Amino acid sequence: MLRTIFYKVFPMKQSILIILSALILVSCSEEKKRYSIRLFSPSHKTSISFLLSPGGTPGYCVQYKDQIIVDSSSLGFELKETAPIKSDFEMIGNHLDSLNENWEQPWGEQRIVNNHYNELTVNLREKIEPHRLMNLIFRSYDDGVAFRYEFPDQEAMREMTILEENTKFRLKEDYTCWWAPGDWDITEHLYTNSLLSKIDATKKRNQPSLGQTYIPDNAVNTPLTMRSKDGLHISIHEAALVNYSDMTLKVDTANLQLQSSLVGSDRLGYKAKVQVPFKTPWRMILLSPNAAGLVDSRMILNLNEPSKVKDVSWFKPMKYTGIWWEMHLGKSSWDMASGKHGATTANAKKYIDFTAKNGLGGVLVEGWNTGWEHWIGFDDREGVFDFVTPYADYNLEEVVQYAHSKGVEIIMHHETSSAPQTYEKQLDKAYALMKRLGLHTVKTGYVGKILPKGEYHHGQWMINHYQKVIETAAKYQIAVDAHEPIKGTGLQRTWPNFVSREGMRGQEFNAWSSDGGNPPDHLPNVVFTRMLSGPFDFTPGVFNIKLKPYKDKNQVSTTLAQQLALYVVIYSPVQMACDLIENYEGQPGFQFIRDVGTDWESSKTLAGEVGDFVTIVRQEKKTGNWFLGSITDENARDISVDFSFLPKGIEFTADVYKDGANAHWDSNPTSLQIDHVKINSTTKLDFHLAPGGGLAIAIKK
Ligand code: NOJ
Ligand code: CA
């Protein structure tokens, strides 16, 4: 009977083939008791089914081929003033759609992105008063599924004050998980590997070195990456997070169930307030038979709307240096009162000279503006930072002119100290100054507890702030690299000027963290978790691995070869060479940083296992050269690379930067061997990665 309904409502342009392939009755457990419609992906690998229980509770389930991955799970909301959205719904209509198009990124992991999906919209209405309307939109891609709630314009509900979103994920098996504790303020926790049934995120609270932590429950942040016993890789995240709160996932270890738990606001007493019509972010589940497939998925971008910024020719992906690492090492300071101010005119010119000489693009200058004397540890941070007034020993105009005369960009820095209202007041003035000076990139920062008190970095109020910054920046032709940001949800498709962000423990933790910094398996974890959310300004390139003479108790826990490999493994359109410039002088390995691209025609993950190792190859857009990066965790590894990704019949020179004899992240991190070999598409080579090691190859025509 359901079938007949569907035939009637299908638009005539839909081909019968799609209809037949898209709709087949489901077989998730309890299905016989429910209405259901199964939506297949274009080549039938994945499917998501809409379910409606006899009591009118909407739900869904997810399958990969014939395997159930997420079993029948209910959907709904708890609202402040009105009855929950939960049950008593009937289906009053539905619509099937599909798309197969290629679109072009202005910059990115790959130029052309294929967006191929089938979509089902289900129109629901409450059978009882006040007859509220809700649509569910489902999409199936070959690399995963997604769904979102939509509230159409209606008399019955003008506004929603959401106390909780009750989206459940009833997992079919006790998956192996790579999880980071749910946190309302930061995403700078290390990932832990355990079975779902063993997750205890509350134990991971209050890690040393973390400014703020708020975890109400046993909840995890997304992306949450999982693996089934059969080796299917699954990652739950969200896409297009706008005017809503971040979704953490509450873990019910006994029932192998996750449930959305939105970040709240103690000040406002709810989790999100929205005007109807309204659409939630997409709840997205990547599905891949191997770990590499997660990394190569572009579903998160495809779930976002096309670009709203017409002209982005003013931004070019770049490598940059900066007055930055020296502050993290304690060699200099952000503030001027300390007597060892880093951001002086003379120091900036030194960095500009180095950057110009080595053909890199930009110089970041932190600590250039007044306010830093009143930064960390102060509660009264409103009105302190000034985003247009330089310190007396920093001549902003002179530095910018000098940089431009050498073809170098100055990257502006705005540390808000988590006083976003102070920043918003100055936003237009600060961006107008940048525009007048011809500066097109700003790194923002949100260190500390949010003011006003009771707001959190990942709540709706702050998400609207981050969005306002992006949209205002776009008007002034400014690209934003946000630190202490909201997590990535693919919005860079719509707002390409949101070029990069931190949102994970970056290199800086190696300089000062009291927990020993980032362990050797940090980045092999991050590639398959945090990086699934988008570009990451990790700031690689430390050559002075042991940080001598500045830090006795800290170090970087990788080899030098791995630091080079990170320029390929981590994707970001702004990629820092973060070490003190004196540490690059006379270093043969630095040639790789000079050569490596930042903007890609295509990218491919050749091999990898979550938390263990990964090998990624990318082709540079401008030159057509290829770059390969491979990294391993604390375990040494032998890998073999098949160069058949290269075009046939062309000879290339490969500059190979590999771990030298006896290299080891701790005992011998800087042992680096550089070879030059001729290769073509039939070449196969074996490489040894040291513990905490890596491999970087520049492949030139
Ligand atoms: C934290 C950022 O992650 C770091 O890169 C920056 O140097 C400091 N905040 C100061 O803004
Ligand atoms: Ca490992």
Side-chain angles (χ1 to χ4, degrees), residues 162-188:
I162 298 169
L163 297 179
E164 193 57 278
E165 176 186 320
N166 291 328
T167 300
K168 296 205 168 132
F169 302 82
R170 282 209 311 130
L171 303 177
K172 189 61 187 170
E173 182 187 303
D174 192 4
Y175 297 128
T176 297
C177 296
W178 287 266
W179 56 274
D183 194 307
W184 287 15
D185 271 312
I186 56 166
T187 42
E188 294 177 337

Side-chain angles (χ1 to χ4, degrees), residues 78-293:
E78 200 181 312
L79 302 177
K80 193 162 181 193
E81 283 98 12
T82 47
I85 294 195
K86 192 177 170 186
S87 55
D88 297 302
F89 280 100
E90 62 183 342
M91 186 172 69
I92 55 168
N94 52 71
H95 175 76
L96 190 70
D97 209 345
S98 68
L99 183 73
N100 186 4
E101 63 161 18
N102 288 334
W103 58 278
E104 186 167 346
Q105 301 203 74
W107 46 81
E109 307 89 329
Q110 69 192 65
R111 189 166 63 84
I112 302 293
V113 178
N114 178 243
N115 186 12
H116 193 188
Y117 62 79
N118 288 331
E119 182 181 272
L120 167 72
T121 303
V122 177
N123 311 110
L124 300 170
R125 185 178 56 202
E126 281 176 322
K127 286 180 274 189
I128 52 171
E129 293 280 340
H131 301 296
R132 290 172 295 187
L133 303 172
M134 175 171 82
N135 300 332
L136 294 173
I137 308 170
F138 297 93
R139 278 196 195 171
S140 286
Y141 294 81
D142 282 332
D143 52 352
V145 299
F147 57 92
R148 79 190 321 179
Y149 303 85
E150 178 184 46
F151 294 93
D153 195 23
Q154 55 190 292
E155 286 296 328
M157 191 166 57
R158 288 290 180 209
E159 180 180 272
M160 297 169 73
T161 305
I162 298 169
L163 297 179
E164 193 57 278
E165 176 186 320
N166 291 328
T167 300
K168 296 205 168 132
F169 302 82
R170 282 209 311 130
L171 303 177
K172 189 61 187 170
E173 182 187 303
D174 192 4
Y175 297 128
T176 297
C177 296
W178 287 266
W179 56 274
D183 194 307
W184 287 15
D185 271 312
I186 56 166
T187 42
E188 294 177 337
H189 296 274
L190 291 171
Y191 275 85
T192 300
N193 178 208
S194 79
L195 288 174
L196 182 85
S197 60
K198 297 281 186 285
I199 293 178
D200 185 358
T202 57
K203 282 235 178 73
K204 290 276 162 183
R205 262 173 158 153
N206 300 325
Q207 289 186 7
S209 303
L210 296 182
Q212 58 264 285
T213 306
Y214 184 86
I215 309 170
D217 299 294
N218 186 20
V220 298
N221 276 348
T222 74
L224 165 66
T225 296
M226 306 181 278
R227 189 175 59 207
S228 76
K229 290 191 187 86
D230 292 351
L232 185 77
H233 288 70
I234 307 157
S235 186
I236 303 184
H237 188 49
E238 58 184 308
L241 171 53
V242 181
N243 187 24
Y244 199 65
S245 279
D246 171 272
M247 174 182 71
T248 71
L249 297 170
K250 212 168 12 169
V251 188
D252 175 348
T253 51
N255 297 304
L256 305 181
Q257 183 175 298
L258 303 168
Q259 186 186 311
S260 56
S261 174
L262 301 178
V263 171
S265 160
D266 299 344
R267 189 173 67 100
L268 300 169
Y270 54 72
K271 294 203 159 174
K273 186 179 238 168
V274 297
Q275 305 302 313
V276 176
F278 176 75
K279 285 180 195 156
T280 66
W282 291 97
R283 278 64 188 92
M284 143 178 143
I285 305 170
L286 296 183
L287 299 166
S288 169
N290 51 43

Side-chain angles (χ1 to χ4, degrees), residues 554-569:
N554 297 83
Q555 71 167 86
V556 171
S557 299
T558 75
T559 65
L560 178 52
Q562 178 171 129
Q563 288 294 308
L564 298 179
L566 294 177
Y567 287 87
V568 183
V569 166

Side-chain angles (χ1 to χ4, degrees), residues 178 193 521 524-525 609-613 633-635 637:
W178 287 266
N193 178 208
D521 70 349
N525 274 322
E609 289 298 343
V610 189
D612 295 341
F613 76 101
D633 60 5
E634 69 281 7
N635 301 306
R637 227 169 274 277

Side-chain angles (χ1 to χ4, degrees), residues 188 324 328 334 366 372 375 413 415 443 445 447 483-484 502 508:
E188 294 177 337
W324 180 75
H328 288 272
W334 283 275
E366 293 200 1
W372 292 89
W375 178 37
H413 186 238
E415 171 55 64
K443 171 178 167 183
V447 170
H483 279 229
E484 297 81 49
E502 187 188 41
E508 62 193 43

